[in-house]
Amino acid sequence: TGLEKGTISSYAHRTKQTAELAEYEAEFVVPPGFGEIGAVFVENEHHRETFIKDIILDGFETGPLRVSCDSWVHSKFDNPTHKRLFFTNKSYLPSETPEGLKRLRGEELEVVRGNGQGERKSFERIYDYDVYNDLGDPDNNIELKRPVLGGKLNPYPRRCRTGRPRSETDPLSEERSSSVYVPKDESFSEVKQLTFSAKTVYSVLHAVVPAVQTAIVDRDLGFQLFSHIDDLFHQGINLPTSKNKGFLTNVLPRLVKLINDTQDDLLRFEPPAPMDKDRFFWFRDQEFGRQTLAGLNPCCIQLVTEWPLKSKLDPKVYGPAESAITKELVEKEIRGFCTVEEAIQAKKLFILDYHDLLLPVVEQVRELEGTTLYGSRALFFLTPDGTLRPLAIELVRPPINGKPQWKQVYTPTWHSTGVWLWRLAKAHLLAHDSGYHQLVSHWLRTHCCTEPYIIATNRQLSSMHPIYRLLSPHFRYTMEINALAREALINADGIIESSFTPKKYSILLSSIAYDQHWQFDLQALPNDLIHRGMAVKDDNAPHGLRLTIEDYPYASDGLILWDALKGWITEYVNHYYSDSALVKSDEELQAWWDEIKNVGHGDKKDEPWWPVLNTKEDLVQILTTIVWIASGHHAAVNFGQYDYAGYFPNRPTIAREKMPTEDPTEQEWELFMEKPEMVLLRCFPSQIQATTVMAVLDILSSHSPEEEYLGQTIEPSWEEDPIVKGAFEKFKGKLLELEGEIDKRNADRQNKNRHGAGMMPYQLLKPVSEPGVTGKGVPYSISI
């Protein structure tokens, strides 16, 4: 009849039980005229929630019908009015939904949206938006009050609403609690919980960190000698005896060893891969330049197109705008290669520029104990062999406390005083780069900006929508990781605030970066490269782009992955949308994009750069951008963290003391002249800061034993459609080609940024990895 039929019901009884799986069976009599089965209702009569893997309906002439669930079903005692609904694996656009499923499709979306009221319960699967008003803890200590992120004052993406009560001390803030709500299906699978991730990260933050803080009594104590830093990898730190002996050994088997005779835990760090190859790798300027293209934060280097270098900040407030890096200074450094004008014309000058972002918060940060800050820039020259040579680092202090603006340029030099000043300037610049990497390239651009996409996808796209099914694997576990970050990483006095240069202003800095720099269209890799001057459009070049620096590993590997993703998504979209009119008339899809722009990223809703969604090409570009950020971009900035920052002199997270040339006292200058190494060690993170960050980076850089890598696992709904399955197999083949291409590039001696004596090959965009800290592997989603 084309109308919805009444349901046929039966009880399911357990027939088989193993440690991992229980099987239940039920019998149904389906009358001949019932038609095609479109959905199954499940009511859970246990007193606790149950995870349903799948439902197989057997007995049809056409063979078994599989309904893939992979979802939690609440107990009927928690919510007796709502039975859980699962659609079959066949995907439908809203306009093509069978009549018998139309009502259910709409009602199910209403359930998931909720009504925006009340505190969320752990068994619920309701997706809604809120601002970041839960990072502070003013009820515990007024010093831990933090500004609300999200809104006109501090623009920010939205997070998932939990509905917790307001703080008594600060009505703008949400009360903190020991567990943070995420919709039930966003939490880690049982396997992932047991083997890794959530529980491990939680344990590191709540067990390892306090243990380190107990072992190291003086919070400000730095390392007295470089050999003491090496001891972290050879001798380790004795952790205090805990009630649960050996507990930490289970949490961090890679790093925590058990001392048999005392049953104490020993925290001994594994040497990071680059240090294993060359323990002085961090010292060399060549490596400093190489890591801007092939290191942990390869997405900030940009082409210099104008001279002189100038700040855009108000000179009345921040002092003269023109940089102290002069034409004469640069030409002296490049010694007759060319003039500055010729270097700019030939695209040979590049810059890391954190000056305008950092300078406005310098005064506030400098009021805090145990840290300092400058506005900073580093200039690089592209040598004939394709490597970047550092030319100069400029550090700037704005006018504060009645003192005028202070700025100084440091250059590589051959005299001991200049050499040590250059090393100290590098430490400051790298601390700024580390902060930007963690707060912007990593947290903001991937974790934080993706959460609104996840919420909108669940609120506006039915679980039978083909685009929901395309995006679903790219969103797995991200919301739980983000909730965990709000609980212990980016919260007031959390790991980031206690160990990174901006301290309590760290997350506020990511809000400033979001306000000033984040654009959806620039999250697409090709657009980002063009915007930074690192590529130009060229129809004759591979991927339609010609790179400004040919051997730019992040970009050259990334573009192959971008094209593979775009090719797969194009075939998928073309299969479901025969023409662009279907894109424009798809009310769920249009509501999804509308909500992402106007609610999830609502503080930027009026920006002119938002793409329109009218054609199939628009849809492919939007989807490829979202998928690239969740997979390729996140892998590039996450899974190399322990390799490149595990030996912290290579990437200190904080610079604790000002440069010795900035208004020095006689004592300060004398100490620098007598013991410059001690001044550098004092500038580096303290022992607690270093070891805490190292333990956390080890966890963040690790792959779970059941990690789902791009192209390895096929979603059930993709597999059941032969055309989609064929497109996926093609995508899988492209990823295998990428594996081989990366190996080939790393073996090519011409590629000086990825091949050399004691040098780390660039493997961060290699799609597949074994478990653990490997420095490679691209999972589907922003996972750890």
Side-chain angles (χ1 to χ4, degrees), residues 83-304:
K83 291 185 180 68
R84 187 63 203 280
L85 178 67
F86 293 105
F87 295 111
T88 60
N89 292 347
K90 195 169 178 181
S91 300
Y92 295 100
L93 295 179
S95 60
E96 294 164 356
T97 312
E99 289 296 326
L101 294 176
K102 277 189 173 171
R103 177 182 66 85
L104 299 179
R105 183 173 185 146
E107 284 179 0
E108 185 62 9
L109 280 172
E110 284 177 23
V111 167
V112 174
R113 289 176 197 143
N115 61 5
Q117 303 297 311
E119 186 170 357
R120 297 273 66 86
K121 312 282 190 303
S122 64
F123 64 84
E124 290 178 328
R125 33 192 287 276
I126 290 174
Y127 295 78
D128 204 355
Y129 300 94
D130 207 344
V131 291
Y132 279 74
N133 59 358
D134 65 339
L135 300 180
D137 191 5
D139 288 348
N140 189 24
N141 182 343
I142 198 65
E143 289 294 311
L144 299 180
K145 179 181 170 183
R146 294 293 178 268
V148 173
L149 302 186
K152 276 186 180 173
L153 198 58
N154 302 306
Y156 219 54
R158 298 300 186 260
R159 63 165 175 97
C160 184
R161 180 184 177 277
T162 64
R164 289 182 291 187
R166 293 302 170 110
S167 148
E168 288 179 17
T169 317
D170 175 24
L172 295 176
S173 295
E174 194 172 86
E175 193 179 83
R176 287 181 69 80
S177 58
S178 57
S179 62
V180 181
Y181 166 81
V182 291
K184 191 60 195 175
D185 284 344
E186 302 299 330
S187 57
F188 290 111
S189 70
E190 288 290 286
V191 182
K192 197 143 181 138
Q193 287 247 14
L194 293 170
T195 56
F196 208 68
S197 284
K199 289 283 185 282
T200 314
V201 175
Y202 188 88
S203 301
V204 168
L205 301 177
H206 292 86
V208 177
V209 171
V212 168
Q213 290 176 342
T214 311
I216 303 168
V217 182
D218 183 353
R219 293 184 71 90
D220 299 322
L221 184 66
F223 292 89
Q224 303 302 306
L225 303 165
F226 271 91
S227 58
H228 293 171
I229 300 173
D230 293 344
D231 287 346
L232 296 173
F233 305 100
H234 305 307
Q235 296 176 17
I237 302 168
N238 282 329
L239 297 177
T241 307
S242 63
K243 293 172 193 168
N244 185 357
K245 285 185 178 175
F247 161 67
L248 295 176
T249 321
N250 299 325
V251 172
L252 266 181
R254 230 174 74 86
L255 302 187
V256 178
K257 325 287 181 198
L258 195 67
I259 308 170
N260 292 328
D261 52 348
T262 63
Q263 287 290 295
D264 278 356
D265 286 322
L266 176 75
L267 182 63
R268 190 169 70 214
F269 292 94
E270 295 278 332
M275 189 190 173
D276 220 19
K277 283 173 164 285
D278 173 5
R279 57 181 297 230
F280 298 109
F281 80 103
W282 65 280
F283 220 54
R284 290 181 284 109
D285 284 347
Q286 182 274 336
E287 182 65 9
F288 173 42
R290 187 188 82 85
Q291 284 185 33
T292 64
L293 301 170
L296 192 51
N297 190 30
C299 37
C300 288
I301 189 80
Q302 53 188 325
L303 182 69
V304 174

Side-chain angles (χ1 to χ4, degrees), residues 53 76 78 166 191 211 221 269 311 359 367 370 374 401 425 461 465 485 491 522 557 566 588 598 707 713 745 768 780:
K53 180 73 186 151
K76 77 169 190 180
D78 284 330
R166 293 302 170 110
V191 182
L221 184 66
F269 292 94
S311 165
L359 205 65
E367 286 168 1
Y374 296 98
N401 303 328
L461 298 181
H465 198 295
N491 60 307
L522 296 182
D557 294 358
K566 191 168 186 177
E588 282 184 11
N598 294 310
E707 187 75 89
T713 44
R745 288 173 174 182
V768 180
Y780 274 101

Side-chain angles (χ1 to χ4, degrees), residues 199-436:
K199 289 283 185 282
T200 314
V201 175
Y202 188 88
S203 301
V204 168
L205 301 177
H206 292 86
V208 177
V209 171
V212 168
Q213 290 176 342
T214 311
I216 303 168
V217 182
D218 183 353
R219 293 184 71 90
D220 299 322
L221 184 66
F223 292 89
Q224 303 302 306
L225 303 165
F226 271 91
S227 58
H228 293 171
I229 300 173
D230 293 344
D231 287 346
L232 296 173
F233 305 100
H234 305 307
Q235 296 176 17
I237 302 168
N238 282 329
L239 297 177
T241 307
S242 63
K243 293 172 193 168
N244 185 357
K245 285 185 178 175
F247 161 67
L248 295 176
T249 321
N250 299 325
V251 172
L252 266 181
R254 230 174 74 86
L255 302 187
V256 178
K257 325 287 181 198
L258 195 67
I259 308 170
N260 292 328
D261 52 348
T262 63
Q263 287 290 295
D264 278 356
D265 286 322
L266 176 75
L267 182 63
R268 190 169 70 214
F269 292 94
E270 295 278 332
M275 189 190 173
D276 220 19
K277 283 173 164 285
D278 173 5
R279 57 181 297 230
F280 298 109
F281 80 103
W282 65 280
F283 220 54
R284 290 181 284 109
D285 284 347
Q286 182 274 336
E287 182 65 9
F288 173 42
R290 187 188 82 85
Q291 284 185 33
T292 64
L293 301 170
L296 192 51
N297 190 30
C299 37
C300 288
I301 189 80
Q302 53 188 325
L303 182 69
V304 174
T305 55
E306 291 177 356
W307 197 267
L309 301 173
K310 270 188 177 177
S311 165
K312 292 185 173 66
L313 298 172
D314 184 352
K316 291 184 187 133
V317 179
Y318 298 104
E322 198 160 308
S323 166
I325 302 176
T326 61
K327 171 179 159 66
E328 293 72 27
L329 187 146
V330 173
E331 289 175 356
K332 182 183 162 199
E333 286 301 311
I334 56 180
R335 293 189 189 91
F337 264 116
C338 53
T339 64
V340 163
E341 290 79 12
E342 287 165 347
I344 289 171
Q345 199 174 357
K347 299 187 175 180
K348 299 257 181 222
L349 281 185
F350 295 84
I351 192 168
L352 277 179
D353 194 349
Y354 301 121
H355 181 278
D356 285 12
L357 179 72
L358 297 177
L359 205 65
V361 295
V362 164
E363 187 169 5
Q364 293 152 287
V365 170
R366 282 183 167 222
E367 286 168 1
L368 306 174
E369 276 185 39
T371 187
T372 190
L373 187 62
Y374 296 98
S376 63
R377 338 179 148 86
L379 198 65
F380 301 84
F381 178 70
L382 182 64
T383 65
D385 65 4
T387 58
L388 283 180
R389 185 179 139 206
L391 298 180
I393 292 171
E394 180 179 26
L395 300 176
V396 182
R397 180 199 70 199
I400 51 175
N401 303 328
K403 294 178 181 176
Q405 183 197 66
W406 176 91
K407 62 174 92 168
Q408 193 157 351
V409 179
Y410 303 88
T411 58
T413 181
W414 307 109
H415 182 255
S416 61
T417 306
V419 166
W420 278 103
L421 287 172
W422 170 249
R423 283 172 188 159
L424 280 156
K426 251 193 335 184
H428 281 272
L429 188 278
L430 286 166
H432 304 162
D433 190 62
S434 289
Y436 191 91

Side-chain angles (χ1 to χ4, degrees), residues 501-555:
T501 281
K503 288 222 162 177
K504 69 185 274 190
Y505 299 106
S506 292
I507 296 300
L508 184 63
L509 203 66
S510 73
S511 164
I512 296 166
Y514 177 72
D515 183 32
Q516 292 179 6
H517 302 306
W518 189 85
Q519 292 186 200
F520 180 85
D521 57 332
L522 296 182
Q523 303 312 297
L525 178 62
N527 293 352
D528 170 49
L529 294 172
I530 292 166
H531 177 71
R532 288 189 284 119
M534 301 306 289
V536 290
K537 285 185 179 176
D538 182 349
D539 294 337
N540 299 317
H543 324 292
L545 286 185
R546 189 174 75 254
L547 292 176
T548 312
I549 300 175
E550 200 176 328
D551 180 22
Y552 181 4
Y554 162 72

